[in-house]
Amino acid sequence: MFRSKSTSETGPDVVLIGAGIMSATLGMLLKELQPELTIAIYERLDVAAAESSDAWNNAGTGHSAFCELNYTPQKPDGSVDIKKAVNIAEQFEVSRQFWSYLVEKNIISHPQEFIQSIPHMSFVWGEENVDYLRKRYKALQQCHLFDSMVYSEDHAQLREWMPLVMQHRDPAQKVAATYTEMGTDVNFGALTRQLFRYLEQLDGVTMHFNHDVRDLKRADDGGWLVKVKNRETREKNQLHAKFVFIGAGGGSLPLLEKSGIPEGKGFGGFPVSGQWLRCNNPEIIAKHQAKVYGKASVGAPPMSVPHLDTRMIDGKKALLFGPYAGFSTKFLKNGSYLDLPLSIKANNIYPMVSAGLDNIPLTKYLIAQVRQKPEDRLEALREYFPDAEMKDWELEIAGQRVQVIKKDPEHGGILEFGTEVVSAADGSIAALLGASPGASTAVSIMLNLLKRCFKEDVDTEAWQQKLKQMIPSYGQSLLNNPELTAKLRKWTTEVLELQQMETA
């Protein structure tokens, strides 16, 4: 039996499920917009940001689309489509503005604990790939968001930018790279924990770790009855909420299914796991200072784009290579092997089977990745670091991602490599599904959620003014305003204590 707390007087206004960057961002926005709101946060683990938001489970690129080649696909006619990259770049600028606002308000006291300047680079080899990167660079130069980017095919210049990558490389090899100093490394785990530490201190906010949300059911008044189990005491409880956000990473899909909202019908999930090679040699770590991204293998999911990546984790410089993809039926790193089979329902089995048949190359790719030996992983690393030796690297388990499968009238079901917000028609519940670029665009994703689920509030003068205070570009397009972009970049660079950009 559940203890009933089915009236809005005894429950919070808002329940956030999952203590990751999405819930932290939404909770922060809501408390700034309407301080009297009561919020309860439920997390099944004993610490915040331990799944997708954790530094070792997240690419941490500060996805600004400077270096990720999967955001700029080549069209059949040979031209490069930059639309997605431009969209992501603008959304990351929105995140920077919100974080800067939080720093100026002393909500975040030490920005360098979560964000650092680091050059972003794309690196390719071979005539065909060099031609693609050259076209990509020229296309991106049409947008002022990328005007800090420079391009080179010169071995000497590339050695200056990334000595480890060019060391003992065949001087006859055709190579090319783009470089920008505007790049950042973001520790989303550290950022998330800072936000929750602040939220916990506010009136009306409660955090509940080691609590599993087991079920969601409509209340008679249109709100939600949320059934929760304490994983330590095994005690079960039920509370009432006017609004529920399911931000549980890979765990969002099963909870969305339990809600029973018609908008959630037909969605499925395809889990992809990952591994890093983590450098344990301080001399090698010290020689590399960049995020160097290459081209993904055919059939590879976006989270598997190879990169030799300088990271700052808990104040210490680290060097990672990967990620190597894998397959597990778990939806969370700390999940159950039954997650995938239990997520298959009558309303999503056809989209899932259809998407599977349309993505045979992905299946083959994942099988090959799972069967990799240490020698295979070293061979992949040596394409980016020719002098790499296995003794300097150790295998680290990365995060679990669940790619969205959704209904499609033409294909039956399609695999989406992005994020998807699914919300009820009345705006009383919303769930975030998917992965990349995820954390880096969390602010924009949550702003769109507010427009859907808190539409009447968003339209008020009070909320509009506050939103513009938190995000100065709110309601304006940075794409059409180079002057505003330059002004805001200067402000966020100073407030976030990033390096001033220099033209290379």
Side-chain angles (χ1 to χ4, degrees), residues 36-108:
E36 68 274 15
L37 272 178
T38 54
I39 300 176
I41 302 137
Y42 288 90
E43 167 57 52
R44 66 190 300 273
L45 301 179
D46 59 1
V47 65
E51 280 281 353
S52 298
S53 302
D54 183 71
W56 293 111
N57 298 340
N58 189 294
T61 311
H63 282 289
S64 43
F66 290 141
C67 57
E68 304 92 338
L69 300 180
N70 53 305
Y71 296 146
T72 50
Q74 195 160 15
K75 297 177 186 176
D77 66 1
S79 64
V80 176
D81 185 354
I82 65 168
K83 185 178 177 183
K84 187 172 185 179
V86 168
N87 187 38
I88 289 169
E90 182 175 28
Q91 289 183 37
F92 187 65
E93 294 296 329
V94 169
S95 292
R96 281 178 54 140
Q97 290 174 57
F98 183 57
W99 300 337
S100 298
Y101 164 81
L102 297 177
V103 171
E104 288 195 332
K105 275 203 73 176
N106 290 318
I107 291 169
I108 294 174

Side-chain angles (χ1 to χ4, degrees), residues 115-119 181 183-185 289 493 497-500:
I115 189 166
Q116 301 272 339
S117 290
I118 186 82
E181 289 185 339
T184 49
D185 174 64
Q289 182 69 15
T493 297
E497 299 174 18
L498 301 171
Q499 293 172 8
Q500 294 292 333

Side-chain angles (χ1 to χ4, degrees), residues 252-477:
S252 291
L253 178 62
L255 289 172
L256 175 64
E257 291 177 333
K258 287 179 178 179
S259 75
I261 62 171
E263 294 82 1
K265 305 286 186 194
F267 280 94
F270 184 83
V272 178
S273 58
Q275 297 174 318
W276 299 104
L277 280 179
R278 175 183 178 182
C279 186
N280 55 30
N281 186 328
E283 288 183 22
I284 292 172
I285 295 169
K287 288 177 182 174
H288 189 70
Q289 182 69 15
K291 291 181 179 293
V292 178
Y293 271 58
K295 284 195 85 174
S297 303
V298 174
M303 68 171 281
S304 299
V305 175
H307 48 288
L308 188 63
D309 194 347
T310 295
R311 302 287 304 276
M312 287 298 294
I313 300 176
D314 301 326
K316 191 175 179 183
K317 189 177 177 183
L319 181 60
L320 280 63
F321 178 78
Y324 301 92
F327 177 75
S328 164
T329 55
K330 290 182 179 182
F331 278 180
L332 292 162
K333 193 173 179 178
N334 296 284
S336 162
Y337 288 108
L338 295 175
D339 287 342
L340 177 59
L342 290 176
S343 76
I344 299 171
K345 310 290 182 187
N347 65 66
N348 69 9
I349 189 165
Y350 178 61
M352 290 183 73
V353 170
S354 300
L357 292 173
D358 280 349
N359 286 275
I360 299 297
L362 173 60
T363 307
K364 289 180 176 177
Y365 171 81
L366 292 175
I367 291 169
Q369 289 278 295
V370 169
R371 295 175 62 189
Q372 276 193 330
K373 298 183 176 70
E375 297 79 25
D376 299 321
R377 287 191 282 267
L378 180 63
E379 186 180 340
L381 169 60
R382 281 180 172 165
E383 290 185 322
Y384 290 83
F385 176 21
D387 291 346
E389 296 182 42
M390 205 64 235
K391 65 182 175 63
D392 296 320
W393 300 80
E394 56 195 60
L395 202 61
E396 179 92 26
I397 302 300
Q400 192 79 357
R401 297 286 187 272
V402 178
Q403 310 292 348
V404 180
I405 294 173
K406 57 191 289 190
K407 287 187 289 188
D408 180 76
E410 187 178 337
H411 297 275
I414 55 171
L415 191 61
E416 288 276 303
F417 290 116
T419 47
E420 181 99 17
V421 174
V422 182
S423 58
D426 65 356
S428 64
I429 190 169
L432 183 82
L433 305 177
S436 181
S440 297
T441 59
V443 179
S444 293
I445 292 169
M446 291 302 107
L447 287 173
N448 287 329
L449 183 148
L450 290 178
K451 289 175 188 173
R452 283 197 201 183
C453 300
F454 295 82
K455 189 176 186 312
E456 288 183 10
D457 299 294
V458 168
D459 289 341
T460 63
E461 184 63 27
W463 275 42
Q464 284 290 310
Q465 285 185 4
K466 187 65 180 180
L467 285 165
K468 287 169 185 171
Q469 185 187 345
M470 293 190 289
I471 297 126
S473 71
Y474 184 79
Q476 303 176 73
S477 169

Side-chain angles (χ1 to χ4, degrees), residues 176-191:
T178 55
Y179 174 98
T180 177
E181 289 185 339
M182 272 294 295
T184 49
D185 174 64
V186 184
N187 184 331
F188 287 103
L191 172 60

Side-chain angles (χ1 to χ4, degrees), residues 207-277:
M207 284 204 71
H208 308 268
F209 291 108
N210 285 309
H211 279 70
D212 218 353
V213 174
R214 307 303 294 269
D215 205 1
L216 295 161
K217 194 169 72 174
R218 277 281 191 188
D220 293 338
D221 64 357
W224 289 90
L225 298 176
V226 185
K227 294 182 179 180
V228 183
K229 182 177 181 179
N230 186 317
R231 299 180 76 202
E232 290 182 321
T233 66
R234 319 303 292 174
E235 181 187 0
K236 295 175 181 178
N237 197 7
Q238 178 172 281
L239 64 147
H240 178 281
K242 296 173 188 172
F243 172 76
V244 175
F245 171 63
I246 308 172
S252 291
L253 178 62
L255 289 172
L256 175 64
E257 291 177 333
K258 287 179 178 179
S259 75
I261 62 171
E263 294 82 1
K265 305 286 186 194
F267 280 94
F270 184 83
V272 178
S273 58
Q275 297 174 318
W276 299 104
L277 280 179

Side-chain angles (χ1 to χ4, degrees), residues 8-30:
S8 57
E9 286 75 30
T10 56
D13 297 315
V14 173
V15 163
L16 306 177
I17 303 173
I21 186 62
M22 295 296 174
S23 289
T25 301
L26 180 58
M28 200 70 250
L29 284 166
L30 286 171

